Amino acid sequence: MSLFRPSRVRTAVAASLIGISSLAACGGGDDDAPVEPTPTTLSLARIGGYTDASLASPLGAAEITAYDAGSKRVFVVNSVLATVDVIDLANPATPVRLTSIDISALGASVNSVAVHNGLVALAIEANPKTSPGKVAFYNAAFTPAAAPATTTALAPLAVVTVGALPDMVTFTPDGKTVLVANEGEPTTYAVAATATTPAVPADDPEGSISVITVNRGTGATLTVAPTVRSAGFAAYNPQVDALRTQGVRLFGPGATAAQDLEPEYITVSPDGTTAWVTLQENNALAKVDIATASVTEIRALGTKDHSVAGNGLDPSDEDAGTNTNTGTPVVKIGTWPLRGMYLPDAITSYSAGGQTYVITANEGDARTDWPGLNEEVRIRAYCSAGLDPAVFAGATGTAADPLLFDSNLGRLRITNLPNGNDTGKNAAGQCNKLHSFGGRSFSIWATSGTGAMVRVYDSGDDLEQRTTALPNVPFNASHDNATLDGRSASKGPEPESVVTASFGSKTYAFIGLERVGGVMVYDVTDPTKVSFVNYLNTRAADATGTVLSGDRGPEGLFFVPAASSPNGKPLLLVGNEVSGSTAVFQVNLAF
């Protein structure tokens, strides 16, 4: 989740690169093509980075990144200035900003960027955000202004109108189509009048996916003539009850299904025919047929059972004592009788064994920012009448239930609306559902079949377990502090972004942890037998843990294969929104 607006993760990875890496894993199809060697393992090393030293506060100066191989340029969404920084990556050890692209004439801010073969696409938010947004196309190889400190009022090649709040943009592998996740976030839900305040009408646009045919010219000069179609959700308005029964969260007050479904992030299947879209707050995925620009399925993700061994979590920042409400923080990962809603942000796809799988970064997100709805509550306060003894073993049904102490589950933030009008309480006011935000994990899902998504792997509590003893940051600290257990009662390390890369016959997933920081790497070649490979966290602090420096708040990941890299080595570009730094990680392969 972005610091600047909830549900704004836009980890823009070029679908073309995913397609390339997937073909490499499958051997391509050209019998004469050289066989890429398969590494035994890999590691990450930070070899360079860029931070705008002229900014008084770099917060938000680097979010989403995309790379163009032809010009050796990185395009970085800069939310501080509502621009896109253009960085020369000819020498990855010393990136240099060339200029910034000013989009103020087109909208309020840039939310996402994608690049394919020299063509840059920007997703631009309107003012107000509930109005239709835009996608603007630029030539990646444009001539920048003479002085690097200046901002370029660059004329776009073309501009098209898309849905409200375009939050993420990506190309299909062949570059012929651009897909846009239009989140359609509300400004407010309907608020009833009171004796002292007037009623507030809802301002909630519909979510949608724009399917843009690029129509790229064939001449020496780069030209495009894009046309737009929209894949919406209006057909699902009569199916609200059926969707809720399936497990799709639809709970916005007075909202239709089309208004309540909010696309967050898109991945395109390696063959370029199908898109999978995260509907984060709805805890579901949408399947889009690209040829017909239509949503063909909405599939629920279900919940994660945190009572199962290996699925534990640390739910409190006051857990050093026993059954107290005045404890101190300590690392204490354990199993608990509650469910985690996956609520994924970023998503990517890859091929394995002839099947397409998607990987989700299960960040979690709560609707808390609008008049008319705040679903986030702490367990002890919300369950003041106790826990339902028919659901929770050993519960007394009173405020003295042991689980409700802050040293146990009392501090954990949960939803007061698991789905629809369900408040998670029985008729006596006792809590009968405890649903927390996010899985604190990444998951792999099979895309075959129908109905709810079938999960074939989840990382369980591995992300938290591997961050318990970092030398440079306390366990579950946030990205803007160095406080032990600071995020335990919320969403833990908060996995936000994910990309994949293939080398020889192996496929690896790179997972960005927004709060505690850093990137974890897993071997996902066999989706049912995933293994941890490496973790690099480049945060820094002094002996007291009070100095915050280094890369913090990884928001966007972009993989650059060796064949496209300026130094001939595979690279991972990381946009860190809190430190405002664009980090260059080199992927070092061992054979």
Side-chain angles (χ1 to χ4, degrees):
M1 183 178 71
S2 170
L3 290 179
F4 309 99
R5 180 175 52 74
S7 309
R8 189 181 153 192
V9 177
R10 304 152 305 277
T11 314
V13 179
S16 58
L17 297 182
I18 296 173
I20 290 169
S21 62
S22 300
L23 288 172
C26 299
D30 183 353
D31 293 336
D32 297 325
V35 177
E36 182 182 16
T38 299
T40 56
T41 188
L42 61 78
S43 60
L44 298 176
R46 191 186 196 277
I47 64 169
Y50 174 80
T51 303
D52 189 346
S54 68
L55 294 174
S57 171
L59 185 67
E63 292 197 9
I64 305 307
T65 62
Y67 172 74
D68 175 55
S71 63
K72 296 183 175 61
R73 292 175 176 177
V74 182
F75 295 81
V76 183
V77 170
N78 185 328
S79 292
V80 173
L81 304 175
T83 61
V84 175
D85 290 336
V86 183
I87 298 174
D88 182 0
L89 201 68
N91 181 355
T94 57
V96 177
R97 187 174 76 89
L98 300 174
T99 188
S100 293
I101 301 174
D102 179 9
I103 58 83
S104 58
L106 299 175
S109 63
V110 183
N111 287 343
S112 183
V113 56
V115 180
H116 187 281
N117 194 22
L119 183 62
V120 180
L122 304 182
I124 300 172
E125 178 181 330
N127 185 14
K129 67 178 182 179
T130 50
S131 294
K134 292 182 171 61
V135 168
F137 293 91
Y138 297 86
N139 187 339
F142 72 92
T143 301
T150 62
T151 297
T152 299
L154 184 67
L157 300 174
V159 179
V160 294
T161 300
V162 293
L165 195 58
D167 207 34
M168 187 268 180
V169 60
T170 190
F171 283 88
T172 54
D174 61 10
K176 294 181 179 180
T177 305
V178 167
L179 301 175
V180 188
N182 304 305
E183 191 170 5
E185 209 174 60
T187 299
T188 178
Y189 291 100
V191 180
T194 68
T196 58
T197 61
V200 177
D203 184 13
D204 187 4
E206 295 184 355
S208 65
I209 299 95
S210 293
V211 180
I212 304 172
T213 303
V214 175
N215 295 317
R216 185 166 177 158
T218 58
T221 301
L222 178 57
T223 60
V224 293
T227 57
V228 185
R229 293 173 293 164
S230 180
F233 298 99
Y236 292 91
N237 285 341
Q239 302 179 40
V240 170
D241 291 341
L243 289 171
R244 285 176 176 157
T245 299
Q246 180 186 332
V248 180
R249 295 185 76 217
L250 297 171
F251 60 102
T256 65
Q259 290 173 313
D260 206 58
L261 294 166
E262 297 181 352
E264 184 76 26
Y265 191 89
I266 303 172
T267 187
V268 181
S269 62
D271 64 8
T273 63
T274 303
W276 291 92
V277 184
T278 56
L279 307 171
Q280 186 172 26
E281 293 86 345
N282 311 108
N283 199 34
L285 301 183
K287 183 180 180 181
V288 176
D289 181 79
I290 295 175
T292 60
S294 60
V295 178
T296 58
E297 291 182 71
I298 298 175
R299 299 173 66 174
L301 296 175
T303 56
K304 178 174 179 174
D305 188 351
H306 285 296
S307 70
V308 174
N311 277 358
L313 77 163
D314 186 330
S316 177
D317 55 352
E318 297 183 4
D319 44 4
T322 300
N323 294 344
T324 74
N325 292 324
T326 58
T328 55
V330 69
V331 178
K332 196 174 183 179
I333 300 171
T335 55
W336 299 94
L338 63 97
R339 295 273 176 169
M341 302 177 291
Y342 290 101
L343 306 176
D345 196 325
I347 185 173
T348 190
S349 56
Y350 74 109
S351 295
Q355 301 294 319
T356 297
Y357 296 86
V358 296
I359 306 177
T360 57
N362 304 321
E363 179 204 21
D365 197 16
R367 288 176 171 168
T368 62
D369 295 73
W370 304 278
L373 179 63
N374 180 1
E375 65 164 317
E376 188 177 67
V377 292
R378 293 191 189 269
I379 287 179
R380 182 160 72 96
Y382 189 62
C383 302
S384 58
L387 301 175
D388 187 341
V391 176
F392 297 95
T396 64
T398 70
D401 282 335
L403 284 174
L404 299 183
F405 284 108
D406 285 350
S407 58
N408 298 320
L409 288 179
R411 294 278 293 164
L412 185 67
R413 298 178 188 273
I414 61 168
T415 181
N416 58 16
L417 286 172
N419 201 349
N421 295 319
D422 182 1
T423 63
K425 292 184 176 182
N426 62 19
Q430 299 162 333
C431 286
N432 57 14
K433 292 185 180 72
L434 301 178
H435 285 187
S436 59
F437 299 101
R440 305 193 185 193
S441 63
F442 72 94
S443 302
I444 303 179
W445 311 81
T447 61
S448 56
T450 58
M453 296 293 293
V454 175
R455 179 175 50 78
V456 299
Y457 173 80
D458 185 82
S459 62
D461 58 17
D462 201 50
L463 302 185
E464 272 191 299
Q465 295 284 3
R466 293 187 183 279
T467 60
T468 57
L470 293 172
N472 55 335
V473 56
F475 171 75
N476 270 354
S478 193
H479 45 26
D480 57 355
N481 63 52
T483 303
L484 172 65
D485 254 350
R487 294 295 296 176
S488 290
S490 293
K491 296 176 285 185
E494 213 162 305
E496 168 132 354
S497 46
V498 56
V499 298
T500 57
S502 293
F503 307 97
S505 61
K506 288 186 176 181
T507 301
Y508 295 87
F510 301 82
I511 315 295
L513 305 183
E514 181 185 13
R515 295 292 176 165
V516 73
V519 176
M520 286 195 183
V521 188
Y522 287 79
D523 183 338
V524 297
T525 306
D526 182 341
T528 64
K529 297 178 180 178
V530 174
S531 59
F532 172 79
V533 177
N534 191 246
Y535 177 35
L536 179 62
N537 189 318
T538 52
R539 285 181 66 154
D542 65 8
T544 66
T546 57
V547 176
L548 295 170
S549 58
D551 299 313
R552 290 172 290 119
E555 177 86 5
L557 305 180
F558 190 99
F559 175 71
V560 180
S564 303
S565 171
N567 70 350
K569 302 287 186 180
L571 303 175
L572 185 71
L573 307 179
V574 185
N576 298 281
E577 67 170 354
V578 176
S579 58
S581 55
T582 301
V584 181
F585 289 0
Q586 184 167 289
V587 182
N588 295 318
L589 306 177
F591 297 93

